[in-house]
């Protein structure tokens, strides 16, 4: 078994830079529009590949120029695109506004990502021979559930980034080894499963659902929770944030890469935090994802 398989979304991000995010009914002027590769699945695959692990992407794009951009971009990062389908829906698109503090709001039109379904025999073989399967929730939930079941049966480690959050079926939860969520997603998941949603102790309470839970906390860092172990808190590197888009994805892809390389979970958490801290210093999702060397350099710097 080797490498990482990502089953997930690929989008083209249309990013507008604004002084502040508009309230409902309000119009604001943008001071810059850029088009970049994104989508949680694509971002996580690129993060794993740039961290140095052989990566395969299972997803779908449209028969359009954006689909070609996605295919070319993934290939450029040496990601195996032989499982990337082309369908008759347009390539997924995200409209993103980023404000002066680096915070964002995102609206996603899933497009071709809704066609990530009916895993083929080749897809099943790829998942079954991987060390880890990494997924998010921008593709049909049934596909995520099916892929997790296939991975569990084959002994492939299942890492789920439950974003954007939605109700997760028991069958999916039962086949996930590592859950990665931000505080908002963690609270929603707790609420959906009749657990107390208060932030204090949330990661520990989610262990009732999944044996390893990571809660990302933005500029505060991330916490690791495991059955039978004390929680581990890793503070974030202090950086000047210009754009948080894809920070969570960079974290997930780099964390998976660390685990697959054989790092202990807490070391993989530090590795992921270093990678994510670099991504917030730069604009865009895929364009801001760091390569291995930059992550190693950041790791040598003290957190504060
Ligand atoms: P996004 O949706 O913006 O991709 P997220 O909400 O899924 O992100 P966050 O918890 O905001 O995830 O961030 C993920 C990780 O990125 C954090 O655990 C941290 O390691 C790093 N990070 C995020 N923001 C900052 C920041 N301002 N400074 C340093 N590191 C950061
Ligand atoms: O997590 C960031 C990503 O969310 C963006 O790249 C956007 O495409 C949406 O999927």
């Amino acid at each position: 078994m080797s490498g990482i398989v990502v089953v997930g979304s690929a989008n083209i991000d249309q990013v507008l830079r604004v002084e502040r995010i508009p309230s409902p009914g309000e119009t604001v002027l943008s001071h810059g529009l850029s088009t970049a590769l994104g989508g949680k699945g694509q971002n996580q695959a690129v993060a794993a590949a740039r961290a140095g692990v052989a990566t395969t992407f299972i997803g779908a794009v449209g028969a359009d120029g954006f689909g070609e951009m996605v295919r070319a971009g993934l290939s450029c990062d040496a990601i195996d695109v032989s499982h990337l389908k082309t369908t008759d829906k347009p390539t997924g698109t995200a409209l993103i506004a980023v404000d002066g503090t680096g915070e964002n709001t995102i609206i996603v039109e899933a497009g071709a990502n809704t066609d990530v379904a009916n895993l083929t025999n080749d897809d099943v073989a790829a998942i079954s021979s991987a060390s880890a399967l990494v997924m998010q929730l921008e593709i049909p939930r049934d596909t995520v559930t099916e892929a997790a079941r296939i991975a569990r049966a084959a002994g492939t480690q299942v890492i789920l980034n439950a974003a954007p959050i939605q109700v997760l079926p028991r069958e999916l939860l039962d086949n996930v080894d590592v859950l990665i969520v931000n505080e908002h997603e963690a609270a929603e998941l707790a609420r959906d499963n009749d657990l107390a949603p208060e932030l204090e102790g949330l990661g520990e309470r989610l262990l009732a659902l999944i044996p390893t839970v990571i809660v990302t906390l933005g500029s505060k860092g991330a916490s690791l929770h495991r059955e039978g172990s004390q929680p581990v808190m890793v503070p974030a590197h202090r950086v000047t944030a210009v754009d948080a888009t894809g920070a969570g994805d960079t974290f997930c892809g780099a964390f998976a890469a660390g685990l697959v390389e054989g790092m202990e979970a807490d070391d993989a958490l530090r590795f992921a935090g270093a990678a994510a801290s670099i991504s917030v210093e730069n604009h865009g999702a895929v364009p801001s994802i760091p390569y291995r060397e930059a992550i190693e350099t950041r790791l040598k710097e003290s957190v504060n």
Side-chain angles (χ1 to χ4, degrees):
M1 294 186 125
S2 67
I4 288 174
V5 169
V6 175
V7 180
S9 59
N11 294 333
I12 291 296
D13 291 350
Q14 302 285 6
V15 187
L16 292 154
R17 296 190 202 302
V18 293
E19 219 40 68
R20 60 186 179 78
I21 308 285
S23 308
E26 190 188 9
T27 302
V28 297
L29 292 177
S30 153
H31 51 82
L33 167 67
S34 53
T35 301
L37 299 173
K40 294 182 190 303
Q42 175 165 224
N43 298 340
Q44 295 183 15
V46 170
R50 289 187 184 171
V53 171
T55 303
T56 296
F57 183 68
I58 298 177
V61 291
D64 47 29
F66 285 156
E68 283 166 26
M69 275 173 66
V70 168
R71 195 176 289 278
L74 289 167
S75 302
C76 224
D77 274 303
I79 293 166
D80 178 352
V81 290
S82 60
H83 302 259
L84 179 64
K85 282 198 294 192
T86 300
T87 80
D88 57 6
K89 299 201 180 81
T91 299
T93 303
L95 300 181
I96 303 180
V98 180
D99 74 11
T101 70
E103 283 303 323
N104 62 37
T105 57
I106 305 180
I107 302 174
V108 176
E109 165 52 38
N113 294 307
T114 59
D115 287 337
V116 186
N118 305 321
L119 296 171
T120 64
N121 289 341
D122 283 351
D123 296 337
V124 171
I127 293 168
S128 303
S129 63
S131 296
L133 169 68
V134 176
M135 297 188 289
Q136 329 71 35
L137 299 172
E138 286 185 332
I139 57 169
R141 201 177 52 182
D142 286 352
T143 308
V144 175
T145 305
E146 185 194 354
R149 189 187 328 117
I150 292 163
R152 172 56 62 85
T156 300
Q157 184 159 209
V158 179
I159 301 172
L160 177 67
N161 172 218
I165 192 65
Q166 51 181 280
V167 174
L168 302 182
R170 187 75 248 172
E171 189 191 0
L172 173 56
L173 289 170
D174 285 347
N175 287 325
V176 173
D177 298 297
V178 181
L179 172 77
I180 305 179
V181 279
N182 65 21
E183 284 177 299
H184 158 74
E185 292 148 2
E188 280 295 309
L189 194 58
R191 205 170 282 120
D192 289 344
N193 289 279
D194 300 321
L195 301 168
E198 286 73 34
L199 293 183
E200 185 69 38
L202 193 48
E204 291 294 297
R205 287 196 298 282
L206 289 176
L207 291 177
L209 307 174
I210 293 187
T212 298
V213 173
I214 293 168
V215 182
T216 64
L217 307 161
S219 61
K220 296 193 294 263
S223 60
L224 168 68
H225 309 265
R226 280 166 298 180
E227 279 174 352
S229 300
Q230 287 298 313
V232 176
M233 172 71 203
V234 173
H237 290 262
R238 197 166 291 171
V239 297
T240 303
V242 302
D243 183 354
T245 311
D249 299 330
T250 303
F251 185 99
C252 293
F255 178 80
L259 275 196
V260 162
E261 262 191 16
M263 289 181 200
E264 293 298 328
D266 50 348
D267 287 333
L269 200 71
R270 284 182 198 93
F271 184 74
S277 75
I278 299 169
S279 80
V280 302
E281 292 178 298
N282 297 286
H283 287 286
V286 165
S288 72
I289 297 171
Y291 291 85
R292 179 71 183 224
E293 201 182 336
I295 305 172
E296 304 273 9
T297 303
R298 177 56 52 88
L299 269 173
K300 289 185 194 129
E301 296 164 8
S302 72
V303 166
N304 291 307

